[in-house]
Amino acid sequence: MFALTFFGILHVPINVPALGVSTGQDEVDVDRELIAHGISNALAGFAGSVQNYLVYTNSLLFIRTGGDSRVAGVMLAVGTFGILMAGPSIVGYIPIMVVGTLIFLLGIELLREALYDTWGRVHRLEYLTIVAIVVVMGTWDFVIGIFAGIVLACVSYVVQTSRKSAIRATYTGEIACSTVRRHPAQARFLRQVGKQIHIAKLAGYLFFGTIASVENRIRGLLDDEAFQARPIRFLVFDMQNVTGIDYSAADAFTRINKVVVRKQIRLIVCGIEPSGELESSLRSVGLWDVGSDVQTFEDLNSALECCENELLKAFYSRRDALSHRNPPTEFLDVPKPKTAPFTWDTTVSSPRRSQLDQVAHQTLGDPESAAQAKWQNFKQPLPLILHAFQGLTDMNEDFWFRAMPFFERREYAAGTVLFRHGDVPDGWFLLEAGIFRAEYHLPQGQFYESIVAGTTCGELPFFGGTPRTATVVAERDSVAWCLDQARWDLLQKSQADVGYELLKISLKLTSERMAVITSYVLTTAG
């Protein structure tokens, strides 16, 4: 009875697709077949008849002998009903040799289809599963063979999936960076210390067979010798392409977290929806219990921005330690993230601390950074211009002094919209204080970038005369210097060389932004 019930449920999703493949039919609707079998079996139960069961071998023989139309099906039903009414005595008129030949023919064809036709076309483990099913069914029983096939198929899936790493790609902060527009000094510092950010992009369904390779890879990165050569401060797991996770894989993240905590590494998980399936699975194993420092973000861009801001705190800590006589430059400050304040490694000989200290010292000690001290005495917007154009032009303060009268100081309250996507450009902005947020809504998707103090905004549409490509909003109270269209036309007439230099700078800025956006897109898609 159990076997009858079991195969009554299982035979449709097994036999119907198999029959479709054997007969060359592509449009096989298993849902419709399940509904039809359910209705017919219900009616058969009420009528006291046998259940509807698709016999693959008989159906295949019937179709191959010409019974591939509705008329043939009706004729078969009528003939079956006639035999039912005539009784079992009519079977005695059928020669035994014909019946035996028919059985042997079906058996040989099915054996050839299962063992010969699949040779070299399926994976070795799958072929061994087919052979095992044939042997078990021939030696013991059909039901036992089905169960053996299900077990072996599960084992084959686990083995084959485990051989493929769940880590789709790995990057460091030297390659993968956020879309935040930063000051050249900040960008230069982050490029040199970016190796302290390690990103692992995970993909597929994470279970006990695939998570083992991830855990081994992370433990290899944190080995003493490897860690000394390439110190890591942030370990980012991008789970944007993860389709699901089981308990054993989720529990592995808690073990990874314990390992990284011992190395004073911050674990970050991104690409998961709040209160989604992945977040619930990870929370169920205690990944975000009280005292845990694991952070989560909805996308990789937000996670990278957080890591970069934390590294920049080391830059400012070193700047404040090296310079007490001159006030800090107001344009280099980054927004205060909603995270714990930055702290140096407690280990004096930490390779991360040594690298951060060395790079910060080099960045602050270069001629461009040293020149910032005398710029503090200039009247705005000249210091802002010199800071924003650092590394983009060879012109000195005397040259840019002539551009000062053409910039107008403007204040924007938090939430103010500077311009919207598609607007006609009416100004170019140099941000003195605060943060702008540029939102891009494209047919391929959407992304955003933060524009911090000491950088520019809106140069390409303004100088190119094209519609705005983004909507820019003041994320907090901000101060910016604007070069509007009327002053730009006047500057081109009265100070042509300054206008020409601004055009060259705008092209360089656009090239840098394109490189950053391209890197981010490729990293996200990788």
Side-chain angles (χ1 to χ4, degrees):
M1 182 61 68
F2 173 77
L4 187 64
T5 305
F6 178 77
F7 287 109
I9 299 174
L10 195 63
H11 81 95
V12 176
I14 292 179
N15 291 342
V16 171
L19 186 62
V21 172
S22 299
T23 57
Q25 296 185 16
D26 299 328
E27 299 179 1
V28 177
D29 191 347
V30 179
D31 290 337
R32 186 183 65 179
E33 296 293 336
L34 284 170
I35 294 174
H37 277 73
I39 295 174
S40 63
N41 284 331
L43 294 176
F46 284 115
S49 178
V50 295
Q51 71 174 23
N52 179 14
Y53 184 86
L54 174 65
V55 182
Y56 170 76
T57 54
N58 295 352
S59 300
L60 184 61
L61 177 64
F62 180 71
I63 293 174
R64 287 180 176 177
T65 54
D68 54 354
S69 64
R70 291 186 180 273
V71 176
V74 173
M75 293 177 61
L76 177 63
V78 173
T80 304
F81 181 77
I83 293 176
L84 176 64
M85 299 302 297
S89 60
I90 195 174
V91 179
Y93 293 98
I94 302 176
I96 298 177
M97 183 179 297
V98 174
V99 177
T101 303
L102 178 62
I103 294 175
F104 272 101
L105 175 63
L106 289 176
I108 293 172
E109 286 192 355
L110 292 176
L111 192 65
R112 178 183 61 83
E113 183 179 337
L115 298 179
Y116 181 77
D117 293 346
T118 56
W119 177 262
R121 298 174 60 184
V122 298
H123 193 273
R124 291 181 179 178
L125 289 177
E126 294 177 347
Y127 188 80
L128 291 176
T129 301
I130 296 173
V131 174
I133 293 174
V134 173
V135 172
V136 172
M137 285 184 176
T139 306
W140 286 278
D141 185 57
F142 181 77
V143 178
I144 298 176
I146 290 293
F147 278 110
I150 294 174
V151 173
L152 291 176
C154 294
V155 173
S156 176
Y157 172 78
V158 171
V159 172
Q160 293 185 57
T161 307
S162 302
R163 292 179 177 179
K164 297 181 179 180
S165 176
I167 300 179
R168 184 174 180 178
T170 58
Y171 302 97
T172 65
E174 299 171 296
I175 299 175
C177 58
S178 70
T179 57
V180 178
R181 295 192 188 183
R182 300 191 184 276
H183 187 272
Q186 295 180 355
R188 187 165 59 252
F189 173 79
L190 290 175
R191 280 195 299 270
Q192 296 182 58
V193 299
K195 63 178 65 177
Q196 295 197 13
I197 304 175
H198 185 85
I199 304 103
K201 295 180 66 65
L202 307 181
Y205 186 83
L206 302 181
F207 67 107
F208 62 90
T210 57
I211 198 63
S213 61
V214 177
E215 192 172 358
N216 292 336
R217 178 81 69 88
I218 299 304
R219 291 182 182 275
L221 287 174
L222 304 184
D223 182 71
D224 291 339
E225 184 176 351
F227 187 77
Q228 189 72 23
R230 189 173 62 180
I232 299 174
R233 181 178 294 275
F234 300 98
L235 177 60
V236 182
F237 283 115
D238 183 8
M239 305 180 69
Q240 183 68 38
N241 296 314
V242 174
T243 57
I245 185 172
D246 71 351
Y247 182 85
S248 59
D251 189 59
F253 281 93
T254 61
R255 297 194 298 269
I256 293 175
N257 185 42
K258 293 178 182 179
V259 175
V260 300
V261 166
R262 289 197 294 267
K263 290 286 187 177
Q264 297 184 356
I265 298 173
R266 180 172 297 177
L267 180 63
I268 297 177
V269 180
C270 64
I272 61 176
E273 297 181 1
S275 302
E277 179 184 352
L278 294 177
E279 196 269 348
S280 300
S281 299
L282 293 174
R283 187 175 297 278
S284 65
V285 297
L287 189 61
W288 289 291
D289 284 350
V290 178
S292 174
D293 197 29
V294 180
Q295 293 180 274
T296 177
F297 295 92
E298 291 189 16
D299 52 55
L300 179 60
N301 189 35
S302 301
L304 289 173
E305 181 179 349
C306 174
C307 297
E308 292 171 355
N309 289 341
E310 290 295 309
L311 290 174
L312 286 173
K313 290 180 182 180
F315 177 78
Y316 296 131
S317 299
R318 180 61 179 172
R319 181 194 63 183
D320 295 340
L322 291 177
S323 177
H324 297 284
R325 293 175 297 179
N326 297 315
T329 306
E330 56 184 324
F331 314 115
L332 294 183
D333 292 335
V334 294
K336 296 180 180 179
K338 299 177 182 180
T339 57
F342 176 85
T343 55
W344 292 98
D345 289 319
T346 55
T347 306
V348 177
S349 60
S350 168
R352 293 173 302 199
R353 176 175 180 177
S354 301
Q355 184 189 36
L356 287 174
D357 191 53
Q358 179 182 4
V359 175
H361 180 78
Q362 293 175 353
T363 304
L364 293 169
D366 63 15
E368 292 180 349
S369 298
Q372 296 175 8
K374 71 173 184 178
W375 295 346
Q376 302 301 317
N377 300 321
F378 296 155
K379 182 181 179 181
Q380 290 289 8
L382 184 56
L384 177 60
I385 293 174
L386 295 173
H387 279 289
F389 298 166
Q390 219 176 43
L392 300 173
T393 178
D394 297 329
M395 301 302 176
N396 57 19
E397 57 269 22
D398 296 329
F399 178 85
W400 293 113
F401 180 80
R402 292 184 288 157
M404 288 179 56
F406 298 94
F407 285 88
E408 177 187 7
R409 188 178 188 273
R410 296 181 182 180
E411 297 183 0
Y412 299 95
T416 302
V417 179
L418 278 73
F419 50 81
R420 298 185 182 276
H421 174 79
D423 288 352
V424 177
D426 58 355
W428 177 44
F429 302 89
L430 297 178
L431 185 57
E432 178 183 349
I435 301 176
F436 289 164
R437 180 185 175 94
E439 300 176 350
Y440 298 85
H441 298 277
L442 306 173
Q444 299 83 0
Q446 60 183 21
F447 70 96
Y448 71 91
E449 59 176 346
S450 298
I451 304 171
V452 300
T455 57
T456 64
C457 175
E459 60 274 357
L460 182 59
F462 178 74
F463 290 115
T466 58
R468 296 290 190 184
T469 57
T471 299
V472 175
V473 182
E475 195 169 277
R476 60 178 61 177
D477 294 342
S478 305
V479 177
W481 291 82
C482 177
L483 175 64
D484 58 26
Q485 188 64 49
R487 288 186 172 88
W488 167 239
D489 295 337
L490 181 61
L491 185 146
Q492 287 181 296
K493 296 178 181 178
S494 60
Q495 305 289 342
D497 55 340
V498 176
Y500 177 71
E501 192 67 21
L502 285 176
L503 288 175
K504 291 199 303 181
I505 290 175
S506 69
L507 292 175
K508 294 179 181 179
L509 289 171
T510 302
S511 176
E512 290 182 356
R513 294 310 305 161
M514 287 297 297
V516 171
I517 297 300
T518 302
S519 175
Y520 172 73
V521 171
L522 294 177
T523 301
T524 304

